[in-house]
Amino acid sequence: MNCRRRGLLLVSFLLSLMMTKIYFKSHQAQELQLSDWFKPRRRPDVITITNWLAPIIWEKTFHRQALEKYYRKRNITVGLAVFAAGRLVDEHLELFLRSAKKYFMPGHRVVFYIMVDTYPQLPYIQSSPLRSFQVLVMGRERWWIDLDLMRMKTLAEHIVDHIQNEVDFLFSMTANLVFQNEFGVETLGASVAQLHARWYFQNPKYFPYERRPKSAAYIPFGKGDYYYGGSTIGGTPRRILDFIQNYLKGILHDMRSGLNSSYEKYLNKYFFLNKPTKLLSPEYNWNPMFISPKQVRYMKVALYPPETS
Ligand SMILES: *[C@@H]1O[C@H](CO)[C@@H](O)[C@H](O)[C@H]1NC(C)=O
Ligand SMILES: *[C@@H]1O[C@H](CO)[C@@H](O)[C@H](O)[C@H]1NC(C)=O
């Protein structure tokens, strides 16, 4: 199938998304104030607030009991969409799911959305009153050369179709991660970005942003806030859908001018224009192959197997 045809299919998909009437669960509960739970002074060694006043969650900066009390009252359900294609299913999915079942939002209701490209031999993991599992099979449209595009398109379709009615917050992660410690309600927010472990401690001028001015993902030198990782994003279903729509529009724009960029670069551009309301420190996505600087005291999620590059 040629590019033009692919582009047309994307456009029609986008239009159908935008014309869909979207209903989101409404939240009447009183909002929690940042000062009720966020204790940034406990971590003077790191930046804990962005210049647009979003909290950056590091170990010790949050008061867990205050958060637990609030979210328990709201009786929340959190979704975790995990994408596993090909060899990721065999090698990582079971470890991901077993560790997530234990450490992801303990004590709260979680729906796992397992997105796979074929019906594989799925690991058997028992559901429980607070842990349920749904398998979402992605279309076998082999012309989707780009797996990120495929997983985001699939996720958007399922958000519109049912996820928006099932969860209050949603995370999307790749399967090559293992939870090592609690990933709890401190991570919840309207739009949650993950600081990239490799780039966090680097000079921003080396960030691998898209630098071609014609691309929709373009961020000029000297601009940009942080480098965000593509393996974890979170937020309300509405905000995740908004990101995906922007991502697809970006791809379409670039396709028309013969360009392509990567998922992570579009994500960085999106968060540059639409600032995330909460940032997760690199503790939430650490690569054990890196020598841990003293700021990283407590690894909550590890990349597995460690990247060798
Ligand atoms: C909490 O939400 C679940 C599922 O949405 C529902 O079945 C349950 O009755 C709710 N519990 C309370 C106390 O509202
Ligand atoms: C851009 O397209 C080329 C050729 O189709 C491909 O090899 C390359 O991986 C693409 N780059 C990105 C970032 O998608």
Side-chain angles (χ1 to χ4, degrees):
M1 202 179 294
N2 64 28
C3 269
R4 203 180 129 75
R5 179 85 201 282
R6 243 183 274 150
L8 287 174
L9 278 170
L10 256 179
V11 178
S12 60
F13 166 67
L14 270 173
L15 287 178
S16 67
L17 259 190
M18 282 163 189
M19 280 158 61
T20 311
K21 238 185 163 174
I22 297 169
Y23 299 98
F24 289 93
K25 287 174 91 169
S26 62
H27 307 300
Q28 311 91 333
Q30 258 242 290
E31 279 310 314
L32 191 66
Q33 298 299 308
L34 195 58
S35 59
D36 295 341
W37 64 273
F38 191 56
K39 312 290 169 197
R41 286 199 204 92
R42 290 194 195 153
R43 287 298 300 268
D45 59 325
V46 287
I47 297 169
T48 47
I49 306 243
T50 65
N51 61 12
W52 63 95
L53 305 181
I56 306 179
I57 310 301
W58 289 86
E59 180 60 17
K60 283 197 163 68
T61 56
F62 52 91
H63 181 32
R64 196 182 290 283
Q65 282 91 324
L67 289 162
E68 286 294 347
K69 197 173 151 204
Y70 172 76
Y71 285 110
R72 199 160 302 287
K73 213 190 244 162
R74 274 185 59 186
N75 192 20
I76 53 162
T77 302
V78 184
L80 175 54
V82 56
F83 168 77
R87 107 199 138 75
L88 274 179
V89 178
D90 307 324
E91 292 179 15
H92 304 304
L93 189 59
E94 180 163 2
L95 211 50
F96 178 93
L97 290 174
R98 286 197 190 287
S99 64
K101 195 181 170 195
K102 180 165 176 195
Y103 292 119
F104 184 77
M105 305 292 155
H108 298 273
R109 204 174 316 100
V110 175
V111 183
F112 291 93
Y113 299 103
I114 305 167
M115 300 199 294
V116 288
D117 56 350
T118 53
Y119 269 109
Q121 300 249 316
L122 283 177
Y124 178 72
I125 298 187
Q126 198 158 18
S127 56
S128 66
L130 291 180
R131 299 279 176 271
S132 61
F133 299 87
Q134 293 183 24
V135 177
L136 314 178
V137 179
M138 294 185 287
R140 311 203 70 179
E141 301 146 277
R142 283 294 165 209
W143 50 271
W144 289 106
I145 36 172
D146 186 329
L147 280 179
D148 288 312
L149 177 54
M150 190 158 114
R151 79 178 162 118
M152 285 299 143
K153 171 190 170 282
T154 308
L155 183 58
E157 287 165 349
H158 285 281
I159 289 174
V160 170
D161 193 45
H162 59 106
I163 293 176
Q164 55 167 321
N165 303 313
E166 295 169 351
V167 304
D168 302 280
F169 297 98
L170 178 65
F171 280 87
S172 168
M173 297 189 190
T174 50
N176 57 339
L177 302 171
V178 183
F179 290 80
Q180 312 253 327
N181 281 296
E182 184 163 346
F183 188 114
V185 288
E186 75 278 7
T187 62
L188 298 177
S191 172
V192 183
Q194 172 64 55
L195 292 170
H196 195 293
R198 182 190 302 180
W199 297 103
Y200 182 73
F201 296 98
Q202 307 287 322
N203 185 324
K205 74 177 180 209
Y206 301 121
F207 286 175
Y209 290 146
E210 175 60 67
R211 302 300 192 183
R212 291 171 297 180
K214 285 213 169 87
S215 168
Y218 174 56
I219 298 180
F221 282 99
K223 290 275 179 10
D225 307 301
Y226 298 93
Y227 194 77
Y228 303 107
S231 55
T232 300
I233 57 164
T236 58
R238 183 199 291 268
R239 289 294 283 268
I240 298 210
L241 193 57
D242 185 60
F243 158 65
I244 299 174
Q245 287 174 339
N246 273 272
Y247 166 55
L248 297 179
K249 270 191 245 172
I251 289 185
L252 201 54
H253 171 277
D254 286 359
M255 221 182 240
R256 288 203 189 101
S257 25
L259 289 172
N260 60 357
S261 195
S262 69
Y263 166 72
E264 205 165 70
K265 291 179 164 75
Y266 289 112
L267 179 72
N268 272 277
K269 179 63 177 281
Y270 179 79
F271 281 141
F272 173 55
L273 298 177
N274 307 274
K275 305 294 188 205
T277 60
K278 188 176 269 186
L279 279 66
L280 304 181
S281 77
E283 297 164 328
Y284 286 88
N285 207 318
W286 191 249
N287 186 333
M289 288 288 274
F290 298 167
I291 295 164
S292 293
K294 61 183 185 311
Q295 292 93 331
V296 178
R297 300 177 186 182
Y298 197 68
M299 200 196 306
K300 294 164 197 286
V301 179
L303 218 82
Y304 179 93
E307 266 177 2
T308 43
S309 53

